[in-house]
Amino acid sequence: MKPMPFVRPYRVSDRPALGEVCVLTAHNGQDSSGIYPDRELMPTLFAYPYVDHEPELTRVLDDGYGRAVGYIVGTADTPRFVQWFRDAWLPAVADRYPRPGGAPRTPTDEMTGLLHDPERMVQPQLAPFPAHLHIDLLPPWQGRGYGRALMEAFLDALHEKGVPAVHLCMARANTPARAFYDRLGFREIDVPQEQGPVWYLGRPTTR
């Protein structure tokens, strides 16, 4: 009998697979490896810090053979996470990714600039939504209900911690993702657009 995919807690051994999923979905849901030559850059921004800081919140989609083919990561407390990012995470990675000088000239410069500005994640309009998340699945696993299963597991974990609501930030170009979040009850939050064409979406953690 063929093993069935299932959602499970994160294991440290999943870390390389999460990095690969991040790279293969980081360009509006598609492969970003042709845009960012260093394949560790996007995971260093959007995956690794979360599994290091709050691994207990991370959930992965296991393909049934032990390999993570999707994940959801996040934090229960964005301001606290940002402080940790500034104090602990950034010093550990800054030698590899120094702050770019002047205006960004490449996509790598833009992302490295974001890496050095974790305070961008703290906006007054987001205070009622203290948690935030990132969710990614490899394309063959999208549209099959696994994203919903990951989201529900993450929301339950936040709710058990007493976190009332969660938000996310997404590129407006990723219209399939917006439709997915709308179906899951996320609603737009009015936040000044200082980071380009993005949407901020939020919802309660109760289901």
Side-chain angles (χ1 to χ4, degrees):
M1 182 179 296
K2 184 177 179 180
M4 292 293 293
F6 62 100
V7 172
R8 61 167 171 79
Y10 168 78
R11 300 192 289 248
V12 174
S13 59
D14 294 321
R15 187 183 174 98
L18 265 62
E20 187 68 7
V21 172
C22 182
V23 168
L24 295 176
T25 58
H27 180 55
N28 298 324
Q30 302 299 316
D31 188 355
S32 70
S33 58
I35 300 172
Y36 307 104
D38 186 333
R39 294 177 71 91
E40 291 291 283
L41 175 58
M42 299 306 274
T44 297
L45 264 164
F46 300 117
Y48 298 153
Y50 296 94
V51 300
D52 282 9
H53 186 55
E54 289 168 274
E56 72 279 4
L57 286 179
T58 301
R59 298 293 183 270
V60 304
L61 176 63
D62 189 307
D63 66 355
Y65 296 93
R67 183 172 71 102
V69 293
Y71 64 81
I72 187 166
V73 298
T75 178
D77 185 331
T78 297
R80 182 167 59 87
F81 173 78
V82 167
Q83 191 64 57
W84 171 85
F85 197 107
R86 170 63 67 188
D87 295 342
W89 183 253
L90 193 52
V93 301
D95 285 348
R96 181 166 181 166
Y97 303 109
R99 182 190 291 273
R105 293 170 294 182
T106 67
T108 292
D109 286 347
E110 292 179 2
M111 287 299 151
T112 306
L114 293 182
L115 177 69
H116 284 267
D117 182 25
E119 289 76 17
R120 65 190 158 77
M121 291 184 267
V122 178
Q123 302 284 344
Q125 298 85 355
L126 300 175
F129 305 85
H132 76 261
L133 67 87
H134 299 281
I135 181 170
D136 292 298
L137 290 95
L138 294 176
W141 301 89
Q142 296 172 13
R144 300 166 60 182
Y146 298 124
R148 177 180 287 273
L150 282 169
M151 185 68 75
E152 290 177 348
F154 184 77
L155 291 173
D156 288 347
L158 288 177
H159 189 62
E160 289 172 6
K161 282 178 167 283
V163 181
V166 61
H167 75 270
L168 60 91
C169 178
M170 62 163 293
R172 294 194 180 208
N174 193 352
T175 51
R178 176 61 195 263
F180 165 73
Y181 295 129
D182 287 348
R183 289 194 297 272
L184 290 177
F186 282 84
R187 297 294 178 262
E188 199 167 332
I189 307 168
D190 186 15
V191 177
Q193 299 297 300
E194 299 176 355
Q195 300 173 43
V198 298
W199 279 305
Y200 286 89
L201 308 176
R203 60 153 290 165
T205 59
T206 52
R207 289 208 278 134

